[in-house]
């Protein structure tokens, strides 16, 4: 009898641990953006013909991840974390791999823009060659489906010229 009571007690604690683990690790329908590490870029970036430099040139990594209950609570308490419903960030019909590919394309575009702005700030002439916004992918189920297709170039939006 004592053996059965002990076994029942052990099973109860195992069940409680399992439920607790599931509650704290279950992915929620929120995406969290938070700052990561800041990297000094002095050794990675060189400017030809530069004789003086002041200040620091750094890159901060921004991390994004699907929320769990502990991360959601921490995000609500942290002023530097942003929390968004998943559907505001990632359309329902886009899977993680497609979203990751879109983010990589966005990063590549951002890098090109940052390079051009930095060179312009240093006095270099940087020609602008774009005449609009290139449509890379149309998200399945989006309002643009059937109106836009991959490869289209948007030159205006709501009457405003895009450059």
């Amino acid at each position: 009898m004592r053996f059965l009571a002990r076994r029942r007690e052990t099973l109860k604690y195992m069940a409680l641990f399992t439920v607790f683990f599931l509650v704290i690790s279950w992915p929620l329908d929120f995406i969290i953006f938070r700052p990561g590490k800041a990297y000094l870029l002095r050794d990675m970036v060189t400017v030809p013909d530069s004789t003086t430099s002041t200040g620091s040139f750094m890159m901060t990594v921004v991390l994004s991840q699907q929320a769990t209950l502990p991360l959601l609570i921490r995000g609500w308490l942290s002023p530097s974390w942003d929390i968004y419903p998943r559907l505001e960030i990632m359309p329902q019909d886009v899977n993680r791999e497609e979203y990751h590919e879109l983010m990589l394309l966005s990063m590549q575009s951002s890098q090109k823009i940052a390079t051009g702005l930095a060179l312009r700030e240093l006095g270099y002439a940087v020609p602008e060659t774009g005449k609009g916004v290139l449509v890379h992918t149309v998200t399945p189920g989006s309002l643009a489906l059937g109106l836009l297709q991959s490869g289209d170039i948007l030159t205006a939006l709501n009457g405003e010229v895009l450059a």
Side-chain angles (χ1 to χ4, degrees):
M1 198 68 153
R2 198 166 180 220
F3 172 75
L4 289 176
R6 191 183 266 164
R7 184 172 178 160
R8 222 175 310 171
E9 189 75 13
T10 301
L11 288 174
K12 181 173 81 174
Y13 284 117
M14 287 176 62
L16 281 172
F17 175 78
T18 302
V19 168
F20 174 76
F21 179 76
L22 286 173
V23 166
I24 67 167
S25 62
W26 195 265
L28 303 175
D29 271 348
F30 292 93
I31 303 291
I32 293 178
F33 291 90
R34 61 189 175 99
K37 187 175 178 183
Y39 294 93
L40 220 100
L41 298 178
R42 181 180 318 133
D43 298 330
M44 294 183 238
V45 177
T46 57
V47 178
D49 303 325
S50 175
T51 55
T52 62
S53 75
T54 59
S56 297
F57 187 41
M58 302 180 81
M59 173 185 71
T60 302
V61 176
V62 176
L63 304 171
S64 68
Q65 65 189 109
Q66 191 161 9
T68 58
L69 184 58
L71 286 173
L72 196 60
I73 292 169
R74 184 167 179 204
W76 284 328
L77 298 174
S78 175
S80 62
W81 288 28
D82 292 321
I83 303 168
Y84 296 95
R86 187 186 67 78
L87 291 178
E88 282 186 24
I89 304 299
M90 186 185 321
Q92 191 164 356
D93 296 335
V94 173
N95 64 38
R96 286 181 183 272
E97 291 78 25
E98 292 168 328
Y99 177 73
H100 183 70
E101 183 182 331
L102 289 171
M103 292 300 98
L104 287 176
L105 289 169
S106 178
M107 175 58 80
Q108 291 168 355
S109 174
S110 176
Q111 289 169 337
K112 289 177 183 177
I113 292 168
T115 300
L117 291 174
L119 289 170
R120 190 172 286 150
E121 182 69 23
L122 292 169
Y124 290 90
V126 179
E128 291 184 27
T129 58
K131 299 294 180 197
V133 178
L134 174 67
V135 175
H136 180 268
T137 306
V138 179
T139 305
S142 71
L143 296 175
L145 192 62
L147 299 173
L148 298 174
Q149 57 186 350
S150 182
D152 284 350
I153 296 177
L154 301 178
T155 57
L157 185 63
N158 295 331
E160 284 192 45
V161 175
L162 302 173

